Every structure is written in structure tokens, then in C-alpha cells.
Amino acid sequence: VERRCHVSAGTPWVRVAWSAPDEPRAWVWRRAKDAFPAEPDIIEGLDKKIVLPTLGTEIPLNEIYRGIL
């Protein structure tokens, strides 16, 4: 099972990908001036959150993985 979500709102853009169905992990790319970094921030653990300041929200990994782990 692969879950992916691409989120964007204004500038900077944010890309979030989930593709570890057996582990609470997300890869987050936050756009800098003109480009995305080559390497993402890796968020790991059910107690962690993906912070999306451009959207003014946070997504807890325990919500993404509810019913999966």
C-alpha cells in the first residue's frame, strides 16, 4: 500500500510523501527560494507531526496511520 499526498499553498510550496505503510514515516520537502531541496526532512514516529505553516496546520502521523499500524 502506498499513500501519497502533495500539498501546496501559496509560496513556499510543500510536498509530503508517505510510502512506508508499515512504519510511521513521512518525507517532507519545503521549497526554498526557487527550488525544492534534493533531500527531504524525514518525520518519524507516531508522536510526530508534519507542520505546514503555510496552511496554518499540523498533521499528526498517528492520524495518518490510524487503522494501519
Side-chain angles (χ1 to χ4, degrees):
V1 173
E2 185 174 317
R3 291 181 168 204
R4 287 186 179 214
C5 175
H6 296 283
V7 181
S8 64
T11 304
W13 292 65
V14 175
R15 290 184 183 160
V16 180
W18 297 271
S19 56
D22 57 339
E23 301 176 68
R25 182 180 301 153
W27 293 264
V28 180
W29 290 264
R30 298 176 199 284
R31 185 175 176 155
K33 293 183 182 181
D34 295 328
F36 286 98
E39 298 297 320
D41 292 328
I42 299 173
I43 312 298
E44 296 181 271
L46 289 174
D47 61 331
K48 303 297 183 194
K49 298 176 182 179
I50 299 168
V51 179
L52 303 170
T54 305
L55 297 174
T57 193
E58 299 175 342
I59 304 171
L61 287 186
N62 65 1
E63 292 292 323
I64 295 168
Y65 285 91
R66 184 187 312 166
I68 296 173
L69 298 179

